[in-house]
Amino acid sequence: MRWLVGSLIAAILFATVGLGWLFDTIYLQYIDDNSNKQSDVVSVMEQLGDNVSQLINSSNTPHELLASWPEANDYQLTLQSVDNMPLPTPLLNQFINEKRLVLETKDHIEINFYLPAHDQRLILTAPISHAVNEPRSSAYLFTGLFYFTLLLLMLLWLNPLIKRLLILRKTAKAFGEGNLEQRVKLGSVSYIRDLEFEFNRMAQRIDDLVSDVKLLSSAVSHDLRTPLSSIRFGIDTLQEVEEPELRKRFEQLISKDVDSMIELVETLLNYARLDQAMLNIDKSKIAVAPLINQIFESKRSDTISFSLISDVNTMEFEVFADKGYLQMLLNNLIQNALQYAVLQVTVTLKKMDHGCEIIIADDGAGIPESERENIVKPFIRGDKTRSSVKGFGIGLAIVNRILHWHGGRLEIGQDEQLLGAKLTVFLPH
C-alpha cells in the first residue's frame, strides 16, 4: 500500500504542479510571441504612416494621392478632419503636439497621423485578429489541453491499478467458490503488491487449515478406531469372564487403550494450538549450540552416540528466531533421528550468505524419496518400517509449520556418510 500511496501522491503533484508549470510556460511564451508580432505590426504601420503623412503633408492634392492607394490591401488609408475626432481636449492637444496616436479595437489597429499643413488627420488601419483574438482562443485551447493531459495522466495511472484489482477480484471470487489453489500472480510493478501478497498468504493459510482439517479427520477416524474396537472387545469379554486374574488383565488392556486415546487427543489439541501460538512469535538472536547440547543431555542413550559439528565456533553460531519454537523444532528433529538411528546421530551447523543450515542426520533406514513430500504432513508416518516406531506422525508437521512462520524451509534427503535420513533446516538471517 505504500507504493500505491506514494505513486498517487507523485501522480497528483506531477499532474497539478508539473503540468501547470509546463502549460503556463508554453502559454506565456506564446503570448510573448504574439505581443512581439503585434509590436512588429505597429512598427511597420508607424513607419509606413510617417512616410505617407510626410508625402501628403507636402502635397497640395492629398485626396488624389490617396485615390491611387490600392484597395485590396491590409493597410487602409483615409483622411478626416481633426475637428470630428472623438477625443477629450487634453488627449486631442497631445495628439496635435506629438502628431501620432495609436488606437486599438478587437478587430484592428488604427494609427492617426496629424497633418498640420491641411489641419487633417491621416488614419492608417490594419486588421489585428491574429494579434488580439488568438490569445483568447489560445487560452481556451491551452486550458483544454491541460485538463485533457491531466485526465490522460490519471487514466494512465489508474489503468494498471484497475487491472490488478480486477485480477484480484477474479481470484478472490474463484477462491470463494471453492478453488483453494487460486493465487494472485505477483506482477513486477503493482500498486497493490502488498495487498496481493497478503491475499496469497491468507489463501495459503486457509488452504493449509482445510488440509489440516481433512488430515486430522482422517487421523481421528483411523487412530481412534483401533483402541475403540479394543475397548469394546474388552468390555464384552469382561462381561463373560469371572476369573479375577483374567479380568484384571483385560482391565489393564482397556486402560492402556484409553491412555492411547488420551495421548492422541492431546496431540491433536497441541497441533491445533500451533496456529494460535503463531501470534506470539518473539524473534531474537539465539545461540544454537547450547540448545542442542541441552537436548543431547536430556536424550542421552547408551546405544546411540551424539555429535555436534560446525564450520565456525559453535558459541558464535546464532540464528534469528523465537527461542521456544526453535527449541521445539530442534527437539522434534533430534527425537525423530533418535527413533530411527541405529548407532549414531549427527547435527551439523553451517553458516551461509543469507542464513544458516542445521543438518540432522542418522544411520537408520532413511526416508524413501517417494515419501519425502508427504512425510511433513500431520499423521503421515511413512512406510511400514518407520510406522512401526511409536508416534502419531506429528513431529515433522510441527517442524514444517514452525519453519513456515520463520520464513525457513525443510529439505529431506539421504546422508552420504551415515546413509540414513538427512533433514536440512534453512533459517534466514
Side-chain angles (χ1 to χ4, degrees), residues 67-121:
S68 62
W69 187 264
E71 295 183 359
N73 195 330
D74 288 340
Y75 299 98
Q76 295 297 317
L77 293 173
T78 57
L79 279 175
Q80 291 186 11
S81 173
V82 177
D83 297 335
N84 63 357
M85 195 171 186
L87 292 176
T89 303
L91 189 58
L92 180 60
N93 294 332
Q94 182 181 350
F95 167 62
I96 294 174
N97 294 329
E98 296 180 359
K99 298 182 175 56
R100 183 186 300 169
L101 179 63
V102 179
L103 300 175
E104 294 183 13
T105 69
K106 66 177 183 179
D107 298 323
H108 63 274
I109 297 177
E110 177 183 298
I111 303 181
N112 294 263
F113 297 91
Y114 179 60
L115 304 176
H118 304 285
D119 196 26
Q120 290 183 322
R121 57 190 175 105

Side-chain angles (χ1 to χ4, degrees), residues 109-371:
I109 297 177
E110 177 183 298
I111 303 181
N112 294 263
F113 297 91
Y114 179 60
L115 304 176
H118 304 285
D119 196 26
Q120 290 183 322
R121 57 190 175 105
L122 175 67
I123 303 172
L124 176 62
T125 60
I128 59 167
S129 58
H130 62 283
V132 176
N133 293 335
E134 284 189 9
R136 178 173 295 181
S137 60
S138 299
Y140 293 125
L141 175 63
F142 279 105
T143 302
L145 284 175
F146 171 77
Y147 285 109
F148 175 77
T149 308
L150 180 63
L151 179 61
L152 181 62
L153 180 64
M154 296 310 298
L155 288 177
L156 289 175
W157 181 85
L158 287 172
N159 183 53
L161 175 62
I162 293 173
K163 285 184 178 180
R164 299 308 301 179
L165 288 175
L166 289 176
I167 293 174
L168 181 60
R169 177 183 177 275
K170 181 181 178 181
T171 306
K173 182 179 179 182
F175 188 85
E177 292 174 351
N179 189 356
L180 301 183
E181 296 180 357
Q182 285 289 323
R183 300 291 184 273
V184 178
K185 186 177 180 181
L186 300 179
S188 56
V189 177
S190 176
Y191 301 135
I192 55 172
R193 186 179 180 86
D194 293 343
L195 182 60
E196 294 171 339
F197 176 79
E198 291 300 329
F199 174 84
N200 287 343
R201 184 180 177 185
M202 177 200 69
Q204 185 62 48
R205 183 168 172 77
I206 293 175
D207 192 15
D208 291 341
L209 289 174
V210 172
S211 300
D212 287 349
V213 168
K214 292 179 180 178
L215 289 169
L216 290 173
S217 301
S218 176
V220 168
S221 62
H222 178 271
D223 288 300
L224 284 180
R225 185 178 293 115
T226 300
L228 283 174
S229 299
S230 299
I231 291 172
R232 181 65 182 176
F233 176 75
I235 292 174
D236 292 340
T237 305
L238 281 176
Q239 293 176 351
E240 300 176 358
V241 174
E242 295 181 356
E243 297 181 10
E245 293 183 0
L246 192 56
R247 288 180 64 88
K248 184 177 180 180
R249 180 182 174 185
F250 280 111
E251 289 173 355
Q252 291 175 346
L253 291 175
I254 292 173
S255 178
K256 184 178 180 181
D257 289 331
V258 171
D259 291 339
S260 298
M261 292 176 62
I262 293 173
E263 184 180 358
L264 175 59
V265 171
E266 289 179 350
T267 302
L268 294 174
L269 292 175
N270 289 333
Y271 184 75
R273 291 191 189 103
L274 284 178
D275 284 324
Q276 298 177 355
M278 171 186 169
L279 302 175
N280 300 321
I281 286 183
D282 182 18
K283 292 184 179 181
S284 60
K285 285 188 176 181
I286 307 297
V288 178
L291 292 179
I292 295 176
N293 290 326
Q294 182 180 351
I295 296 172
F296 283 171
E297 287 294 328
S298 64
K299 300 183 183 298
R300 184 182 297 275
S301 172
D302 295 333
T303 59
I304 299 176
S305 62
F306 299 101
S307 59
L308 177 61
I309 305 170
S310 178
D311 57 355
V312 296
N313 188 341
T314 56
M315 299 306 297
E316 298 177 356
F317 193 92
E318 295 179 332
V319 298
F320 190 67
D322 183 285
K323 183 176 182 180
Y325 289 111
L326 178 62
Q327 187 171 8
M328 183 187 298
L329 179 147
L330 294 173
N331 185 75
N332 284 337
L333 289 176
I334 294 174
Q335 179 63 36
N336 182 80
L338 279 174
Q339 288 179 338
Y340 304 109
V342 178
L343 296 174
Q344 189 175 3
V345 172
T346 62
V347 178
T348 305
L349 307 178
K350 290 185 178 180
K351 281 283 187 180
M352 303 180 67
D353 293 337
H354 304 292
C356 63
E357 284 186 349
I358 304 174
I359 304 172
I360 294 92
D362 62 71
D363 60 351
I367 303 174
E369 189 173 353
S370 59
E371 298 178 1

